[in-house]
Amino acid sequence: MRLRVAAGGPAALKVLAAAGAAAAPVRLVWGGPLGETAAAAAPLPGRDPLVPAPVIPTPRRGPPGLTGLLPPAEQPLAPLSPPWTPALELDSGTVLFSPNAICQFFFLARGEEPTDLTNQWLEWEATELQPAASAALYAQLVHGRKGLEAVEVLGKLLVHIELNLSRRGTAYLAGDTKSVADVVVWGTLFPVLQDETSLPSELQVLRTWFQSMTLSEACRKAADSVLMPKALLEFKSYLQKQPPPCLAMERATSNEPEEEEGSEPALTEEEITAAVDAWARGVAALPKPWQPQKPVLPVEGMRNVLITSALPYVNNVPHLGNIIGCVLSADTFARYCRLRNWNTLYVCGTDEYGTATETKAVEEGLTPQEICNKYNAIHTDIYRWFDISFDYFGRTTTPYQTMIAQDIFQRLLARGFLLQDTVEQLQCEDCQRFLADRFVEGTCPFCSYEEARGDQCDKCGKLINAVELKNPQCKLCRGVPVVKPTQHLFLDLPKLEEQLEPWLEQSWATGDWTANARYITRSWIRDGLKPRCITRDLKWGTPVPLDGFRDKVFYVWFDAPIGYLSITANYTDQWERWWKNPQQVELYNFMAKDNVPFHSVIFPCSLLGADDNYTLVNHLIATEYLNYEDGKFSKSRGVGVFGDMAKDTGIPADIWRFYLLYLRPEGQDSAFSWSDLMLKNNSELLNNLGNFINRAGMFVCKFFGGTVPDMVLTPDDKRLLARVTLELHQYHQLLEKVRIRDALRCILSISRHGNQYIQVNEPWKRIKGDEKDRQRAGTVTGVAVNMASMLAVMLQPYMPSVSLAIQGQLCIPPDCFVLSHNFTCTLPPGHRVGTVSPLFQKLEHDQIEALRKRFGGGQAKQTPPASVTLMAPGDPELIQELTEEVAKQGNHVRQLKANKAEKAQVDTEVAKLLELKKQLALAEGKSPEVLVPKGKRKK
């Protein structure tokens, strides 16, 4: 192999370091942007030239980013193109020209397969770190900036590395050993940070990692070889002829808002003039709000937006992570679409078939249908409380589900996309049944997590075949199952791949897929698609309509996404106008990242193979995970705050919506924190947003009799209009890209501008002055209350009840509740406002601490005893009687506490409650936990 690199070129650094770290047998050819300058081949830094080179197989398919793989005739080794870019010519003649692809190849060739975490770091380095590092290097070499000033653009990204290293407690980015991710990230950072004064002193973990990498032999020799003074001068000369790097207008994805800029970008006269013109046009400039007919159907000539959120499993109560990952994110976007006058349909429902339902039914001593009815009602109630604006919330246990799923199956069968095969499956001889995936638990074969499910590991996220589990156990009886053969049907994904790949390329090119959705999908394609089993040995599910398989049902991940179609069919008998109309309909799928492959590969393959003009996803929006305090949510293990608990806290739904959307894990995991909830409520809502809107409305009432005064705009006012307009444009740009969390910052930024505007102009003082001062007070008040009016509309997707309250207080006309790209005067002089009152209440420390303790008990990991047996249900009448007694006693305890009864009396009644709970657990066939009253500890 020959590796061509240019001395002085930053990309050469990571490539040489990777080759050295992987001991790759390459011959170096040094070159520059104008052609080869040194043809002599050299041994790789760090490698003994006398050691024989190992044989390196050419990978069958490259990992993500391995797009630089071309036949030699299409990609010559010299000259470099573009300048300063490395190139690796393999012995086969194939050329790799992507630096990251070359680095990955070296590690793959050494037998180190990339992990999911490694690939996530590489994706992040390519999309986030590289552009910022290029800008920082340009600032250093061309503009002469030094130290912290030069790396300012890297600030949030360096913190991202620091936090990830700290949270994982590992020496390296992807674990305790060095990986290709470490080399690639170090190689991008080192040209900028080689002067360690550029590294912020508070980032100690990052500093330790960076020094460790820099001192490693491979990295040190690569730096000595590439970053020579003369070569750097040539590279600087080259950069000076190039335009400065342009960073995308995207805000950081940390939990915290961006710091206020010391100096804002200058406004152009054109921007100021356009803002003033739009303001002057007033309500006439706004589009008329459009109300679709019911049921909502596609309209020719309009933008027709179909939104789905991943169907929540019906087997449990959704926790905050489920809510933000799916329904709340989709709801926020759906509300935004409606405010834009886009014809929008938002559907969701409970996913009710499959093993999870059967498992829950066994646990609770109910039939599967009774479980579905119970939890569908719970889900519906929770989403109603969170103000989720479904056009229709349905369920999958319907005749339409059977009809549509079986039709797609028959079409796949007729077109030759289904296979039949014998599979090895776990059978519990004690229970006398084949065990579906979720009836099995064991040790993950990939990461050794001891409580992995039979279909997927909660810890590493990898999909598993149940027979691959180590030390498997039947969840019903805790017996050890045996492997037995059984016949099943498979979706022929390899055969469908030739249709899938061009569709994916087209969807990626024209749609907005989140980075993690693209990465996860590429990983599946890279690893090569395999036939996927679509049947299960269960009773509760959609029956398979084929002789020899009629005792089986469809696998939930073949069946569940079809629920989007059947739920729409239950909403309207014209459902095909949405789902068989790709020419007129844009489809947005919202989900957490663990659901991505089923929506990006399996479900599209099913629809492509069915060949019935189905609407396929245009925009796949996947979140990372929301953690809870210092642990993780787990629906199956009851860890964290759940939806039905949120409404019992006394904190309004809109505050929960705001905080969850503020935390929305768009680019990385984020964590719910009670202390942070209090901080954001008190600072961002109470002191910033609520303070501004309340002051603007109160000034109208107090100083001008409830009537908006005349306004005479000064140059400062006009600049404010332009600033607000720019924030509004940014809000639209972000929400159109479904950057929901970042767009919320625009709202808070506008209210900060408003507070500053009021503070600087002091209308409460000017109203007491001469005519000129009173006029100025009127102008400031009028502009401020119009900003509040616009904020009410912008806030509606996030906090609908608060938005409605502002609309009522300021008497904003319904025709103004539509989003345009301009800040217009919607409350003109003479407009009367209503009664203005505070929108938010302060959260107190004692209140939050009480909630933290109340909900903190579930964080301790509960390991069930090995002897736990999920038995058949006991006496239903006894269970019902005990359930009622527990509820009655629980209410009695709460009443005593509310009345501040004596502690001894409360403790006595709590002990009775715990005894009743123990009796109920025994009656249900469960092993009762040792329950301890709050405030006491087990000895």
Side-chain angles (χ1 to χ4, degrees), residues 269-323:
E269 285 301 320
E270 290 80 6
E271 288 170 335
I272 295 171
T273 301
V276 173
D277 289 346
W279 166 271
R281 290 198 299 273
V283 178
L286 294 175
K288 295 295 181 186
W290 183 75
Q291 292 296 328
Q293 294 182 338
K294 302 294 182 182
V296 182
L297 294 171
V299 176
E300 189 170 353
M302 290 193 70
R303 184 171 182 180
N304 299 295
V305 178
L306 175 58
I307 298 172
T308 69
S309 50
L311 306 182
Y313 275 135
V314 79
N315 67 315
N316 216 324
V317 179
H319 59 64
L320 299 183
N322 304 136
I323 290 167

Side-chain angles (χ1 to χ4, degrees), residues 913-923 926 928-929 931:
L913 175 62
L914 297 180
E915 180 59 30
L916 283 170
K917 288 185 174 181
K918 179 179 177 181
Q919 292 177 25
L920 177 60
L922 289 170
K926 299 177 183 177
E929 302 173 27
L931 298 171

Side-chain angles (χ1 to χ4, degrees), residues 102 211 624 758:
I102 295 170
Q211 289 172 343
E624 298 293 318
I758 289 174

